Structures are given as structure tokens and as C-alpha cells.
């Protein structure tokens, strides 16, 4: 796993971990407790994250916090080890906490959607919750992101009930998590090639398609200049905005699978169907 990061702005960089992106917020060389890790990759990512952080921010540089967009296995793989080693708060939406404090697992994935190898393999992906309850903090109701001044969080449910995107008004930068992605995540070929094109959330884990549509519509209304997604390469400029508006307009046609368990029976936080006993 590479320790290189790809800079996408003066204070943002991302690192690809197999099938997912980890994001580093902070200017190069800022040192200890002066940067933020956004998501924590797949299992086994710890060493690569630590090395990349030290390479970007300085020897021994620890973050001031970890912010989790949601708790799927490919976004929290190293979070327990990193939170313990770095002794940092882990910020997440309250609806995502059951997956992060060991009390609930995600709904079963749906391998019938998407038609690709990754989708078919999804029942093998880890679903057991992580437990960072000693470090876990709720993102504030006012939308602020305490370790990231100038940013606000936006609730983007659908792919997961407590998923959030991060938004900076000053330069219209969006960290979209998996509300939409820039590769066909269901396809192993697309995941390897990483040809940039806008897609809805990864189908096999998305549990509420109406909510997912509304989340994309809300993000399109922001008119972002730059978007970093959980999977695939960043997009920017008019091409991003045009593609995002097209996705929002045609979401039911291009993003929602023609069949699937959660198309007919969404899993929701309100009735508890999104949470399975651990």
C-alpha cells in the first residue's frame, strides 16, 4: 500500500487505499496536532496512514481529530488502532454511532445489484462494528466541524443512515464521502482503472434510495468547484457541476438498481431496521 498522497488543494490531499480514499486536511509541514484525518481506510491501513501523515506533516505528527463520514468497513479499517495510538477524538453523526460503539452491525449488503464482481463479493465484506466509544464524539447540531474551522457537515443519508459530507463555503470544496462517487464501484475493472465518471453511491451497501436521491440533489444545489469522493478521483469545475446536476436529475434511471432488496424495503434509523444486533 503506497504512502504517497495526491494533493488537491493547499490543505487537502488524498491517499488511495485499495478500493477507497483516505483524506488528509492540513497544510504540509504543520506538525503535531495541527491536521485532521478524514476516514481511516481498509483493515491493515494503519502503517500506510501513519507514514503518509509523517511524510506530509512532519515526523511524529498526530492529528487533532479523526472525522468519519460513515462507518462502512472500508472507511474505518484502522480507526480503532489509530484512535488508541494517537489519543484523539473521533467525530461522527449520531445516527452512525451504533456502528462505531460496538452495538450494531450494518444491514446485509445486496449482491444482486450493479452486476459487477465487487457487488457479488459484497457478502464477504466485514460488517462487524468497530468500537471507538472511548473517543467517539457527536458532530454538533449547528453543522460545524469542531476540528475544521470554516467547514460544515451536511447529513447525506441513503448509503448509510448517518453518512455526512463536508463542505467549505469559502472555495466551494466538497468532501462527498459515498453520497456519489467517481468510479463504478460495483465493477472490479472500474475500481482498478479509476477512469473518472460520476456515479451514484455504491449500490451493494446503499439501504435507502429515496434518501440517497435527496442527498445528491442537496449536494448538486451547492454548485461545488471541487469534489473529493470516497471512491475514485477528484473532479472539479464545470464538468463536475454538470455531471452532478445530471446525476440528480436522472438519479432514478442511472443510479437506482432495477431490482434489489432495499429498492423495495429501505432500511431506516427511524424504525430500527438499519441496525442489526452485533
Amino acid at each position: 500500500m503506497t504512502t504517497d498522497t495526491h494533493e488537491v488543494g493547499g490543505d487537502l490531499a488524498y491517499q488511495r487505499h485499495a478500493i477507497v480514499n483516505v483524506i488528509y486536511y492540513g497544510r504540509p509541514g504543520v506538525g503535531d496536532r495541527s491536521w485532521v484525518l478524514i476516514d481511516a481506510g481498509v483493515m491493515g491501513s494503519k502503517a500506510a496512514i501513519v507514514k503518509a501523515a509523517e511524510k506530509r506533516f512532519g515526523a511524529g505528527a498526530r492529528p487533532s481529530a479523526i472525522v468519519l463520514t460513515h462507518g462502512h468497513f472500508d472507511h474505518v479499517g484502522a480507526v480503532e488502532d489509530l484512535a488508541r495510538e494517537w489519543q484523539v477524538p473521533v467525530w461522527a453523526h449520531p445516527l452512525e454511532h451504533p456502528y462505531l460503539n460496538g452495538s450494531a452491525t450494518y444491514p446485509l449488503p445486496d449482491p444482486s445489484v450493479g452486476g459487477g464482481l465487487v457487488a457479488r463479493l459484497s457478502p464477504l465484506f466485514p460488517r462487524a462494528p468497530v468500537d471507538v466509544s472511548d473517543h467517539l464524539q457527536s458532530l454538533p447540531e449547528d453543522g460545524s466541524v469542531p476540528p475544521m474551522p470554516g467547514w460544515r457537515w451536511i447529513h447525506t443519508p441513503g448509503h448509510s443512515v448517518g453518512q455526512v459530507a463536508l463542505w467549505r463555503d469559502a472555495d466551494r470544496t466538497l468532501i462527498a464521502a459515498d453520497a456519489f462517487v467517481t468510479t463504478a464501484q460495483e465493477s472490479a475493472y472500474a475500481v482498478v482503472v479509476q477512469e473518472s465518471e460520476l456515479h451514484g453511491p455504491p449500490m451493494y451497501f446503499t439501504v435507502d434510495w429515496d434518501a440517497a436521491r435527496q442527498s445528491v440533489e442537496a449536494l448538486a444545489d451547492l454548485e461545488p468547484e471541487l469534489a473529493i469522493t470516497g471512491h475514485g478521483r477528484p473532479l472539479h469545475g464545470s464538468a463536475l457541476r454538470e455531471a452532478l446536476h445530471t446525476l440528480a436529475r436522472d438519479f432514478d434511471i442511472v443510479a437506482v438498481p432495477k431490482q434489489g432488496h432495499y429498492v423495495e424495503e429501505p432500511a431506516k434509523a427511524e424504525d430500527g431496521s438499519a441496525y442489526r444486533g452485533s
Side-chain angles (χ1 to χ4, degrees):
M1 192 175 294
T2 180
T3 60
D4 292 335
T5 58
H6 305 278
E7 189 159 326
V8 289
D11 57 4
L12 281 170
Y14 77 98
Q15 179 186 33
R16 185 182 173 199
H17 286 221
I19 62 172
V20 72
N21 296 325
V22 170
I23 299 171
Y24 301 83
Y25 169 65
R27 293 191 176 276
V30 294
D32 195 39
R33 303 300 195 195
S34 299
W35 60 280
V36 175
L37 179 69
I38 301 164
D39 289 342
V42 294
M43 189 176 297
S45 294
K46 177 188 170 186
I49 290 173
V50 170
K51 289 178 182 177
E54 293 192 340
K55 188 174 181 179
R56 180 172 176 82
F57 301 114
R62 300 163 297 174
S64 61
I66 298 171
V67 175
L68 295 178
T69 63
H70 61 299
H72 283 152
F73 81 99
D74 49 344
H75 294 257
V76 301
V79 71
E80 290 176 299
D81 290 341
L82 291 172
R84 182 169 54 249
E85 179 171 316
W86 284 334
Q87 287 298 302
V88 291
V90 177
W91 295 88
H93 192 282
L95 292 179
E96 210 70 2
H97 281 206
Y99 310 124
L100 303 172
N101 64 19
S103 64
T105 64
Y106 278 100
L108 292 169
D110 187 350
S112 71
V113 297
L117 178 61
V118 177
R120 291 196 294 272
L121 291 175
S122 61
L124 303 177
F125 295 160
R127 288 189 310 111
V130 297
D131 187 354
V132 290
S133 52
D134 289 344
H135 305 272
L136 195 56
Q137 302 285 330
S138 292
L139 288 166
E141 292 184 4
D142 65 6
S144 64
V145 185
M148 299 172 65
W151 291 79
R152 60 186 173 96
W153 62 267
I154 300 169
H155 189 202
T156 54
H159 184 61
S160 179
V161 293
Q163 180 179 243
V164 297
L166 305 177
W167 170 253
R168 182 164 60 186
D169 289 283
D171 56 2
R172 305 204 331 268
T173 294
L174 175 66
I175 298 173
D178 290 1
F180 63 88
V181 297
T182 61
T183 187
Q185 191 62 23
E186 297 77 26
S187 162
Y189 174 79
V191 168
V192 171
V193 173
Q194 294 278 289
E195 183 177 348
S196 295
E197 55 182 14
L198 217 62
H199 291 267
M203 294 180 182
Y204 46 86
F205 272 163
T206 298
V207 295
D208 187 337
W209 286 100
D210 285 342
R213 180 196 313 104
Q214 293 168 24
S215 293
V216 168
E217 291 170 347
L219 297 181
D221 286 345
L222 295 173
E223 303 287 352
E225 176 62 25
L226 169 68
I228 309 172
T229 62
H231 306 273
R233 296 172 178 165
L235 289 178
H236 60 86
S238 59
L240 162 64
R241 291 187 288 276
E242 290 171 9
L244 189 51
H245 280 293
T246 299
L247 177 63
R249 183 192 67 212
D250 299 337
F251 192 86
D252 287 347
I253 300 170
V254 301
V256 180
K258 292 180 173 58
Q259 80 292 317
H261 178 75
Y262 300 111
V263 176
E264 301 297 330
E265 298 181 34
K268 296 180 175 292
E270 293 83 354
D271 62 7
S273 57
Y275 306 113
R276 297 172 62 92
S278 63

